[in-house]
């Protein structure tokens, strides 16, 4: 509102000016203005009264407004208390956790469909599951969001213990999202369910068996290994803790300042390939001393890290790939759940297993003379581990795999009399030392505040063949480069 200018009283509203004679103010506008002031005063007075007389109502209103602007859910914290005199699992109500997807899953999730393809048409019968029992270390039944375990035999070190622990964390992270299911789990190295045994006309469907790795001749179902929640016997911390430490150490020591050799540390006595690696002394710095006092986060001190299989695959993959140094990946037929999404020449440098020492020497020479390209390979792999292989995606992979598996079951899982309910209290409270420490460090403290990532569609046959051919071509291109260079 403007003052009286000349003989006019003017109201300015945005870019328009409305004027009236000064002796004839528009009474209706004045009346409306006074009315709004009275209404505003009444609203303020009412709000103050609510604030003092019903603070919980105001709190609820505020919470509702906040939640309207967010797709996340406030996480529910879980109580955890050890009562050594009573280690029974607490009776709790499990509320279904059904938030929308948080993001798109990484491409390697598409292999879930491939792993379950042998049962896509027939489904999975109880007979098929029970035929896997002879190879299994334990049977897992999930019923109404609770885990029941039937232990068949103890396995090497604490593989079964921390695998089960990881499954319990999944149930806590996504309460009510893991469907009822029944599965057999093998904790050994070598895949055993041969695809060829079930291809003949009239052959039974293959027994579904979960484990940590497979190859192209087997139909074992791959699952994240126990060390994601800690490997007590070699003092390797849970992945979530260790991944942060590796990132911090990577930032301290730049690639250009690292030792210009390839480095490997491990047990050389579990495979012939590792024995052969010990002969590559000119370009490989190796150590096969004990791990008890080792710190994987501080082993990213060389420009190149070597990955080589053990009896089958090795859990060392993830630690090596996270180092910011190019991984010299010795050719292997074994696959775990995430390496099938890695691309040679992009995430790692392929090493020929039939000409190992010369292949490693060539890779080191090439990297030292093509430093920008070498650093890019190392950075690409470590970024993949930090962003696509963090524990968020590990849990999401587990959830999607178990969900898709449960859809194939042709029967309703029933808890057998020999199975025992497992929960955090019954597992962690009786433990001590590193076992308990790693369990506490890797424990899910509350429900996740977002839904799992959105599952990608399966490959169609042509698309999968194209992807595999692309990987083969990338490897062959590097092999041809090595051959051409060494000939001159």
């Amino acid at each position: 509102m403007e003052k009286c200018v000349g003989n006019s009283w003017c109201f300015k509203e945005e870019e328009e000016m409305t004027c009236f004679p000064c002796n004839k103010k528009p009474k209706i506008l004045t009346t409306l203005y006074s009315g709004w002031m009275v209404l505003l005063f009444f609203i303020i007075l009412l709000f103050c009264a609510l604030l003092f007389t019903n603070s919980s109502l105001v709190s609820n209103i505020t919470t509702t407004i906040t939640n309207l602007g967010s797709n996340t859910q406030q996480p529910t914290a879980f109580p955890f208390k050890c009562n050594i005199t009573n280690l029974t699992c607490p009776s709790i109500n499990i509320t279904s956790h059904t938030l929308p997807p948080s993001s798109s899953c990484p491409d390697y999730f598409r292999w879930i469909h491939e792993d379950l393809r042998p049962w896509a048409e027939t489904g999975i019968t109880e007979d098929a599951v029970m035929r896997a029992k002879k190879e299994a270390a334990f049977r897992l039944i999930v019923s109404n969001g609770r885990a029941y375990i039937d232990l068949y035999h103890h396995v090497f070190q604490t593989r079964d213990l921390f695998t089960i622990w990881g499954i319990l964390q999944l149930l806590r992270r996504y309460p009510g999202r893991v469907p009822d299911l029944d599965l057999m789990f093998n904790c050994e190295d070598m895949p055993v369910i041969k695809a060829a045994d079930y291809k003949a006309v009239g052959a039974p469907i293959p027994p579904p068996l979960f484990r940590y790795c497979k190859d192209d001749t087997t139909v074992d179902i791959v699952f994240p290994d126990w060390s994601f929640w800690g490997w007590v016997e070699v003092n390797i911390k849970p992945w979530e803790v260790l991944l942060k430490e590796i990132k911090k150490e990577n930032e301290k020591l730049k690639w250009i300042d690292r030792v210009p050799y390839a480095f490997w540390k491990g047990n050389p006595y579990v495979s012939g390939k590792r024995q052969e690696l010990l002969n590559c002394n000119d370009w490989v710095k190796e150590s096969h001393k004990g791990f008890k006092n080792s710190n994987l986060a501080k082993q990213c001190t060389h420009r190149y890290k070597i990955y080589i299989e053990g009896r089958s695959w090795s859990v060392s993959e993830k630690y090596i790939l996270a180092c910011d140094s190019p991984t010299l990946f010795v050719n292997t037929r074994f696959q775990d759940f995430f390496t099938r999404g890695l691309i040679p020449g992009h995430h790692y440098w392929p090493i020929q297993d039939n000409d190992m020492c010369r292949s490693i020497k060539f890779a080191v020479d090439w990297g030292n003379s093509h430093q920008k390209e070498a650093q890019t390979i190392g950075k690409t792999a470590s970024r993949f581990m930090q962003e696509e292989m963090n524990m968020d995606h590990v849990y999401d992979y587990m959830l999607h795999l178990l969900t898709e598996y449960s859809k194939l079951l042709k029967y309703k899982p029933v808890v057998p009399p020999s199975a025992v309910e497992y929960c955090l209290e019954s597992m962690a409270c009786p433990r001590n030392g590193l076992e308990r420490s790693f369990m506490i460090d890797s424990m899910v403290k509350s429900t996740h505040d977002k839904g799992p990532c959105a599952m990608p569609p399966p490959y169609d046959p042509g698309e999968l063949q194209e992807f595999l051919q692309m990987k083969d071509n990338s490897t062959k291109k590097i092999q041809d480069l090595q051959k051409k260079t060494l000939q001159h």
Side-chain angles (χ1 to χ4, degrees):
M1 183 181 291
E2 300 287 348
K3 292 184 179 179
C4 208
V5 179
N7 295 322
S8 299
W9 187 281
C10 299
F11 288 83
K12 187 174 183 181
E13 187 170 336
E14 296 182 349
E15 300 300 322
E16 296 183 7
M17 185 82 74
T18 304
C19 297
F20 300 88
C22 287
N23 59 353
K24 294 184 179 179
K25 280 187 185 180
K27 294 183 180 180
I28 186 170
L29 294 177
T30 304
T31 303
L32 286 173
Y33 179 79
S34 301
W36 277 111
M37 290 298 293
V38 171
L39 180 59
L40 179 61
F41 177 79
F42 177 79
I43 291 172
I44 293 173
L45 185 64
L46 178 62
F47 181 81
C48 291
L50 283 171
L51 182 65
F52 287 105
T53 61
N54 196 347
S55 58
S56 62
L57 177 60
V58 175
S59 176
N60 290 338
I61 293 172
T62 304
T63 302
T64 301
I65 293 172
T66 302
N67 288 341
L68 285 173
S70 172
N71 287 327
T72 62
Q73 174 176 303
Q74 293 299 317
T76 302
F78 292 113
F80 179 77
K81 186 176 182 180
C82 285
N83 181 358
I84 300 301
T85 60
N86 183 11
L87 294 178
T88 58
C89 296
S91 178
I92 57 174
N93 292 323
I94 297 174
T95 304
S96 183
H97 193 90
T98 54
L99 291 169
S102 56
S103 61
S104 296
C105 297
D107 274 353
Y108 66 85
F109 279 57
R110 302 180 78 176
W111 286 92
I112 290 175
H113 303 292
E114 299 306 313
D115 283 349
L116 298 177
R117 193 172 296 281
W119 303 274
E121 294 184 4
T122 62
I124 297 173
T125 63
E126 187 171 10
D127 171 72
V129 171
M130 295 312 297
R131 282 190 284 112
K133 179 179 178 179
K134 64 180 181 179
E135 302 289 353
F138 65 85
R139 180 183 183 184
L140 165 70
I141 301 94
V142 173
S143 180
N144 296 320
R146 304 172 82 93
Y148 301 85
I149 302 293
D150 202 353
L151 281 177
Y152 297 138
H153 65 82
H154 289 289
V155 300
F156 183 62
Q157 297 181 341
T158 51
R159 293 182 176 198
D160 54 350
L161 181 72
F162 279 89
T163 298
I164 296 170
W165 178 256
I167 293 168
L168 294 182
Q169 305 319 303
L170 175 67
L171 295 175
R172 282 165 64 91
R173 179 183 173 92
Y174 292 126
R177 288 294 295 263
V178 180
D180 288 3
L181 56 85
D182 181 8
L183 64 82
M184 298 288 181
F185 206 108
N186 182 301
C187 299
E188 308 299 333
D189 289 326
M190 298 295 292
V192 295
I193 309 299
K194 299 292 184 181
D197 294 341
Y198 303 94
K199 288 186 175 179
V201 177
I205 62 174
L209 182 65
F210 284 69
R211 69 175 333 104
Y212 310 123
C213 76
K214 62 169 294 183
D215 62 25
D216 288 340
T217 68
T218 57
V219 293
D220 299 65
I221 302 169
V222 291
F223 195 82
D225 70 79
W226 76 95
S227 66
F228 283 99
W229 298 274
W231 189 357
V232 170
E233 289 78 11
V234 292
N235 194 24
I236 293 179
K237 299 175 184 177
W239 179 236
E240 187 169 28
V241 176
L242 190 53
L243 191 59
K244 294 176 182 178
E245 293 182 1
I246 292 175
K247 182 178 182 180
K248 185 176 181 181
E249 292 298 325
N250 282 342
E251 294 169 350
K252 287 183 181 179
L253 185 61
K254 301 303 180 185
W255 185 86
I256 195 66
D257 298 323
R258 299 181 183 186
V259 181
Y261 291 93
F263 179 81
W264 175 77
K265 185 170 186 174
N267 180 357
Y269 306 112
V270 295
S271 73
K273 287 186 180 181
R274 290 189 174 186
Q275 288 286 311
E276 184 182 344
L277 179 64
L278 299 185
N279 297 323
C280 308
N281 293 326
D282 290 342
W283 293 95
V284 178
K285 303 298 180 183
E286 56 86 17
S287 172
H288 49 274
K289 297 178 181 179
F291 286 88
K292 285 288 185 180
N293 298 313
S294 65
N295 186 334
L296 287 178
K298 295 184 179 296
Q299 289 184 19
C300 301
T301 56
H302 290 69
R303 287 186 183 176
Y304 312 92
K305 297 291 296 290
I306 295 173
Y307 169 76
I308 187 168
E309 66 185 42
R311 289 192 65 228
S312 58
W313 114 113
S314 169
V315 301
S316 62
E317 278 176 329
K318 52 184 174 291
Y319 314 117
I320 292 170
L321 286 161
C323 252
D324 258 13
S325 295
T327 296
L328 309 186
F329 203 107
V330 180
N331 183 48
T332 177
R333 76 176 197 269
F334 298 105
Q335 311 149 2
D336 68 5
F337 77 101
F338 75 89
T339 49
R340 295 175 291 188
L342 300 179
I343 299 172
H346 183 66
H347 295 105
Y348 64 89
W349 185 276
I351 298 296
Q352 299 177 49
D353 58 341
N354 59 355
D355 192 13
M356 193 184 305
C357 294
R358 286 207 309 166
S359 190
I360 291 173
K361 179 182 184 302
F362 172 75
V364 172
D365 286 342
W366 181 90
N368 286 337
S369 60
H370 297 78
Q371 295 183 359
K372 182 178 179 180
E373 293 90 338
Q375 289 181 71
T376 297
I377 294 174
K379 286 285 188 183
T380 299
S382 62
R383 186 166 56 250
F384 176 90
M385 302 309 291
Q386 292 285 342
E387 297 175 2
E388 299 189 42
M389 262 298 296
N390 53 35
M391 284 305 297
D392 285 342
H393 284 127
V394 173
Y395 282 124
D396 286 0
Y397 190 96
M398 294 164 62
L399 178 62
H400 284 305
L401 173 58
L402 295 180
T403 300
E404 296 302 314
Y405 171 83
S406 71
K407 292 177 183 177
L408 296 172
L409 294 180
K410 306 284 283 185
Y411 64 99
K412 180 175 176 57
V414 176
V415 180
S418 53
V420 176
E421 183 177 4
Y422 275 53
C423 59
L424 271 63
E425 290 80 2
S426 66
M427 290 196 73
C429 293
R431 309 286 166 182
N432 50 44
L434 276 183
E435 286 186 10
R436 183 165 182 174
S437 175
F438 284 179
M439 285 182 174
I440 297 300
D441 288 345
S442 61
M443 183 186 297
V444 169
K445 307 300 192 300
S446 63
T447 58
H448 195 43
D449 60 354
K450 298 178 182 177
C453 60
M455 181 72 166
Y459 291 105
D460 63 51
E463 186 182 14
L464 178 58
Q465 187 58 39
E466 184 179 335
F467 175 71
L468 295 176
Q469 188 63 53
M470 179 270 291
K471 292 181 68 172
D472 287 344
N473 291 342
S474 297
T475 298
K476 187 176 185 302
K477 182 178 179 181
I478 290 173
Q479 291 175 347
D480 290 345
L481 177 63
Q482 174 183 326
K483 183 179 180 180
K484 181 179 179 180
T485 302
L486 295 179
Q487 283 177 345
H488 288 77

